[in-house]
Amino acid sequence: MLNQIDLSRIDLNLLVLFEIVFQERHVGRAAERLHLSASAISHGLGRLRALLGDPLFLRTPKGVVPTERACQLATSVAEILARIRGVVSTATPFDPRHSTRRFVIGAPDGISSVILHPLLETLREVAPGVDVGIRQLLPAQGFTALHLAWKDAVKEVEDRTIDIAIIPLDDVPVRFHKQTLYEEEFVVAVRKGHPFQRTPTLKRYCEMEHLVVSHTGDVSGFVDVELAKLGLTRRVALTVPNFTFAVSVLAGTEMVSALPRRFLEVHGARFDVVAIEAPLPLPRFSINIVLPKVAMMDTGLAWLVQLLAQVRTGKGGSSVRRSGKRHRSLHSE
């Protein structure tokens, strides 16, 4: 990216400035993050443009957009800065007990709401000054292949908008570190005492009013794919944008919904919503921590990955038992 002659006059802060402007797409917001004036950001961009021979960012009414050259450079700049941060963090070892660092974790709400409480409890004990931000990640619409559905989430973690992503994705590029946090499967969720608990047949399931979690309002999902294989359909009476909303609605209605098992284990009891065996196969996923391999050189991030693996909610199975009989796992149906 930079030739040998240029290295003698490189200001490392220019690469940091590039990274922040690329993430924010806005000079004013970048200035706030860097505690600089907007004019200082503009001056720095001018130096970068002269150095790299490209406009890099083009002004629009809503901020700036990166040029094709800037998009090409973004990954290299992120890798360079990650390596430097790793060197610095090695020189000054990360000490969780005294750190005041803030980590941003990106995850769908069905995952973040499972890991958050045990994570916070552990942080209070081992790293009381460390703060956490949760950023909701959503699958891209219109894709059934997981690597396409979660491509935007992968881009966010590579662009360093978030520190790590926790997503149901196995197929990640080789430049990423992937670590399985837990296994997740979907079950049928209903209010406690729902008639479907007594007659959980496929015919009855198709006759029920269904609730689907969809942030876009799309009524079609993986359940419909499985039903179509059997020549069957269902009525989607309601869509809601997240799992917490879904479980609160189920508590007061006769609707049924396919929800993550671990999510229900954590939150179902306080809503009197229970999980029962589905009368058709429902998906099972590995929930994985994903971040660039170069980011693991940052001892703070490496510590966070290890910590998450230690607090990954060991309780399981009780919410899919009924009348003392353990249901067979959904992935074996």
Side-chain angles (χ1 to χ4, degrees):
M1 183 182 72
L2 304 172
N3 61 48
Q4 197 167 13
I5 297 174
D6 290 327
L7 291 179
S8 63
R9 58 190 180 90
I10 291 297
D11 180 354
L12 178 61
N13 289 320
L14 292 179
L15 298 185
V16 177
L17 183 147
F18 175 93
E19 181 181 53
I20 299 301
V21 174
F22 188 85
Q23 291 173 0
E24 294 293 341
R25 305 293 206 269
H26 195 279
V27 169
R29 290 196 296 269
E32 290 178 4
R33 283 184 61 179
L34 292 170
H35 305 289
L36 296 172
S37 66
S39 62
I41 298 293
S42 297
H43 178 70
L45 287 176
R47 292 173 62 191
L48 271 172
R49 287 165 179 144
L51 182 67
L52 299 174
D54 188 86
L56 297 178
F57 299 97
L58 305 177
R59 292 187 179 276
T60 72
K62 294 184 178 180
V64 296
V65 294
T67 63
E68 182 179 355
R69 176 62 172 154
C71 292
Q72 293 170 350
L73 292 171
T75 299
S76 296
V77 170
E79 290 177 354
I80 289 169
L81 292 177
R83 289 181 181 277
I84 293 172
R85 288 170 181 135
V87 170
V88 173
S89 66
T90 301
T92 306
F94 176 78
D95 181 358
R97 289 203 169 273
H98 299 96
S99 176
T100 57
R101 186 165 172 180
R102 181 175 186 268
F103 295 100
V104 179
I105 299 171
D109 75 296
I111 296 173
S112 59
S113 61
V114 168
I115 67 168
L116 185 58
H117 288 298
L119 174 61
L120 292 178
E121 289 177 4
T122 304
L123 286 176
R124 278 197 296 269
E125 296 176 5
V126 304
V130 168
D131 297 326
V132 173
I134 300 294
R135 182 185 179 101
Q136 184 171 5
L137 299 181
L138 299 169
Q141 293 300 298
F143 296 104
T144 55
L146 288 178
H147 73 283
L148 294 176
W150 293 104
K151 60 185 177 65
D152 293 339
V154 172
K155 185 176 186 302
E156 282 203 53
V157 75
E158 187 162 42
D159 290 345
R160 302 299 298 276
T161 305
I162 54 180
D163 290 306
I164 66 172
I166 306 179
I167 50 180
L169 179 64
D170 280 317
D171 185 17
V172 298
V174 294
R175 64 184 182 277
F176 286 90
H177 172 84
K178 183 191 73 174
Q179 185 167 327
T180 299
L181 200 57
Y182 61 90
E183 298 294 325
E184 183 61 281
E185 60 188 4
F186 278 77
V187 292
V188 175
V190 296
R191 66 167 179 80
K192 189 175 182 180
H194 194 291
F196 187 67
Q197 287 183 272
R198 297 191 297 270
T199 55
T201 65
L202 182 58
K203 180 178 183 297
R204 182 65 178 138
Y205 180 74
C206 293
E207 293 171 348
M208 302 299 299
E209 292 185 345
H210 289 251
L211 182 156
V212 168
V213 176
S214 169
H215 69 279
T216 63
D218 185 3
V219 299
S220 182
F222 58 81
V223 171
D224 302 280
V225 173
E226 296 299 327
L227 288 175
K229 293 176 183 177
L230 303 172
L232 300 171
T233 60
R234 63 173 176 167
R235 176 193 170 193
V236 176
L238 177 68
T239 63
V240 296
N242 58 63
F243 291 110
T244 303
F245 196 170
V247 76
S248 66
V249 171
L250 291 176
T253 69
E254 297 300 298
M255 294 183 185
V256 301
S257 184
L259 298 181
R261 174 177 63 83
R262 289 208 181 219
F263 172 81
L264 283 175
E265 289 176 354
V266 174
H267 300 286
R270 62 193 175 99
F271 290 95
D272 274 342
V273 171
V274 297
I276 59 177
E277 182 181 13
L280 74 167
L282 295 182
R284 183 180 179 93
F285 303 101
S286 293
I287 305 301
N288 294 312
I289 299 172
V290 175
L291 71 164
K293 287 180 178 177
V294 294
M296 288 293 286
M297 296 176 64
D298 180 332
T299 55
L301 284 178
W303 169 84
L304 178 61
V305 170
Q306 182 181 21
L307 186 72
L308 283 165
Q310 293 172 349
V311 299
R312 56 185 169 183
T313 63
K315 295 180 179 179
S318 60
S319 68
V320 289
R321 293 180 175 92
R322 185 180 58 205
S323 302
K325 181 180 179 181
R326 193 178 194 276
H327 291 170
R328 55 198 174 100
S329 61
L330 297 177
H331 70 287
S332 66
E333 294 190 34

